[in-house]
Amino acid sequence: DTGVSQNPRHKITKRGQNVTFRCDPISEHNRLYWYRQTLGQGPEFLTYFQNEAQLEKSRLLSDRFSAERPKGSFSTLEIQRTEQGDSAMYLCASSSGLAVQETQYFGPGTRLLVL
Amino acid sequence: AQSVTQLDSHVSVSEGTPVLLRCNYSSSYSPSLFWYVQHPNKGLQLLLKYTSAATLVKGINGFEAEFKKSETSFHLTKPSAHMSDAAEYFCVVSDENGGFKTIFGAGTRLFVKA
């Protein structure tokens, strides 16, 4: 399978705990994106990387959220001190090239439930 | 500022009849426009995209969309609905003017009746 993969697919945690999600993009895709999708809504952009550089962060990405892409390949999204409002599907996508019109290929997502 | 409005949250059609999913956008620059489909428990899949070439864009599974700058619209159509088209559809606008932005619409749920 050469698509975007995300792990874990599901995560249940208690409020206040830290969680980390991983995204493996399509090989050699230089752009990687993180989105959050809540029930009944479209995905909301969180952040994106071009290679290892984090170039854009949404105001939705509070101080409790941090994302990394240390070697320009896989990426991790960490949420510290989770809150019930963090419950959502977290989507990762990747694209090749440098242009905004490049197609983003999405992974299956990680569904987070904060109790 | 960028925005995307999908004018219908739900659309219901009978199998074999035409599909129209409406999308209006607002962008201060020349945007790229996309339609994605999301089937239950599956990832988002690109249907088609407009990137300042031909204004009528053909996508997969018989879908097409027309970019109308004067109306700031990018409606998705299909001549004949199939049961397998039942899914959530998202209109997306993307540009890099003033920083990279990708904005998804709220989605339109398409129901197809037998």
Side-chain angles (χ1 to χ4, degrees):
Chain A
D1 185 7
T2 57
V4 178
S5 63
Q6 293 186 246
N7 288 288
R9 295 291 306 276
H10 303 273
K11 179 71 177 179
I12 300 174
T13 191
K14 293 182 179 180
R15 189 176 53 186
Q17 298 294 306
N18 299 343
V19 294
T20 300
F21 310 140
R22 176 177 170 128
C23 171
D24 287 90
I26 293 172
S27 179
E28 298 182 359
H29 273 192
N30 60 338
R31 282 193 172 187
L32 186 149
Y33 314 80
W34 284 100
Y35 294 85
R36 180 174 69 188
Q37 185 178 21
T38 53
L39 204 61
Q41 299 297 317
E44 296 172 294
F45 171 76
L46 293 177
T47 188
Y48 93 99
F49 294 83
Q50 187 167 299
N51 300 313
E52 65 275 7
Q54 188 173 17
L55 296 187
E56 197 83 27
K57 290 196 292 186
S58 163
R59 58 177 174 78
L60 295 174
L61 213 65
S62 74
D63 292 344
R64 296 184 298 106
F65 288 70
S66 62
E68 293 182 341
R69 194 183 184 197
K71 296 182 180 180
S73 57
F74 73 91
S75 175
T76 57
L77 177 67
E78 181 182 16
I79 308 175
Q80 296 183 325
R81 304 181 303 282
T82 52
E83 302 173 354
Q84 289 183 325
D86 297 330
S87 295
M89 176 77 86
Y90 290 84
L91 297 168
C92 175
S94 69
S95 69
S96 64
L98 300 176
V100 69
Q101 60 260 36
E102 292 295 329
T103 299
Q104 294 182 34
Y105 295 86
F106 283 82
T110 295
R111 185 172 295 281
L112 172 67
L113 177 61
V114 181
L115 302 176
Chain B
Q2 275 187 339
S3 67
V4 179
T5 302
Q6 292 185 243
L7 298 165
D8 306 289
S9 58
H10 299 85
V11 170
S12 182
V13 300
S14 297
E15 191 174 23
T17 64
V19 175
L20 170 63
L21 305 183
R22 298 182 295 166
C23 173
N24 286 106
Y25 71 93
S26 171
S27 176
S28 58
Y29 200 57
S30 296
S32 295
L33 295 161
F34 307 77
W35 277 98
Y36 280 84
V37 61
Q38 188 173 40
H39 287 92
N41 300 314
K42 290 191 176 181
L44 286 156
Q45 181 184 20
L46 178 73
L47 279 177
L48 49 80
K49 66 180 179 181
Y50 166 76
T51 58
S52 74
T55 56
L56 182 62
V57 182
K58 295 187 182 298
I60 62 172
N61 301 334
F63 284 94
E64 62 181 38
E66 186 172 6
F67 173 70
K68 292 187 176 180
K69 187 173 182 178
S70 61
E71 299 176 10
T72 61
S73 69
F74 191 56
H75 301 333
L76 181 71
T77 60
K78 183 173 180 177
S80 176
H82 190 272
M83 295 295 290
S84 62
D85 294 328
E88 187 90 20
Y89 292 79
F90 294 98
C91 181
V92 183
V93 61
S94 186
D95 73 45
E96 285 185 309
N97 185 36
F100 174 81
K101 303 176 190 68
T102 292
I103 307 294
F104 278 72
T108 297
R109 171 76 63 180
L110 177 64
F111 297 93
V112 182
K113 299 175 290 186

